[in-house]
Amino acid sequence: MAFEVSAEDQDRQLTLIDEDGNEELFEVLFTFHSDNNDKSYILLYPAAVEDDDEIEVQAFSYDADEDGDVTSSDLHEITSDAEWDMVQGVLNTFLEDDRLSGEDSAE
């Protein structure tokens, strides 16, 4: 499975509103397109996270507008186990590959 992490994702944010009407700002971790599902996916994490905090990544499929922009109304919940497994696999690859995640392996 091939995926490409968009460099434009860095420093992008989305505001999500929960079922109680609370707004929370999220940073875009990365986006990718799955040729198998012919869908695009976005992975987000809360913007208010400290460097040493454990973060909970949220994933959605999305439909971008003609300019490639995404708003919270363009996000769709992932409902199938197969899709979740695929997204988890891409996230794990991202986290394990220092070139993608931006981690410096020369410490």
Side-chain angles (χ1 to χ4, degrees):
M1 165 185 12
F3 70 93
E4 181 176 327
V5 174
S6 174
E8 296 175 2
D9 293 336
Q10 295 180 4
D11 300 325
R12 287 186 41 196
Q13 298 178 327
L14 281 174
T15 299
L16 299 183
I17 302 171
D18 67 16
E19 59 274 354
D20 297 325
N22 300 315
E23 294 184 1
E24 185 173 0
L25 186 63
F26 283 81
E27 300 279 347
V28 176
L29 181 59
F30 67 90
T31 61
F32 70 96
H33 183 83
S34 168
D35 292 334
N36 293 345
N37 295 335
D38 194 29
K39 288 184 181 179
S40 294
Y41 296 89
I42 187 167
L43 284 84
L44 309 168
Y45 64 94
V49 167
E50 298 293 326
D51 286 340
D52 56 349
D53 286 347
E54 185 173 313
I55 64 169
E56 181 178 328
V57 174
Q58 296 196 28
F60 301 91
S61 65
Y62 71 90
D63 301 312
D65 66 16
E66 59 274 353
D67 296 326
D69 294 329
V70 178
T71 64
S72 61
S73 63
D74 300 320
L75 303 180
H76 310 286
E77 289 187 33
I78 299 171
T79 56
S80 82
D81 289 341
E83 265 187 291
W84 272 118
D85 291 344
M86 181 272 305
V87 169
Q88 184 67 48
V90 172
L91 176 59
N92 289 342
T93 300
F94 174 84
L95 294 174
E96 291 169 2
D97 191 328
D98 295 338
R99 295 169 298 163
L100 297 175
S101 66
E103 294 292 319
D104 186 7
S105 60
E107 292 185 17

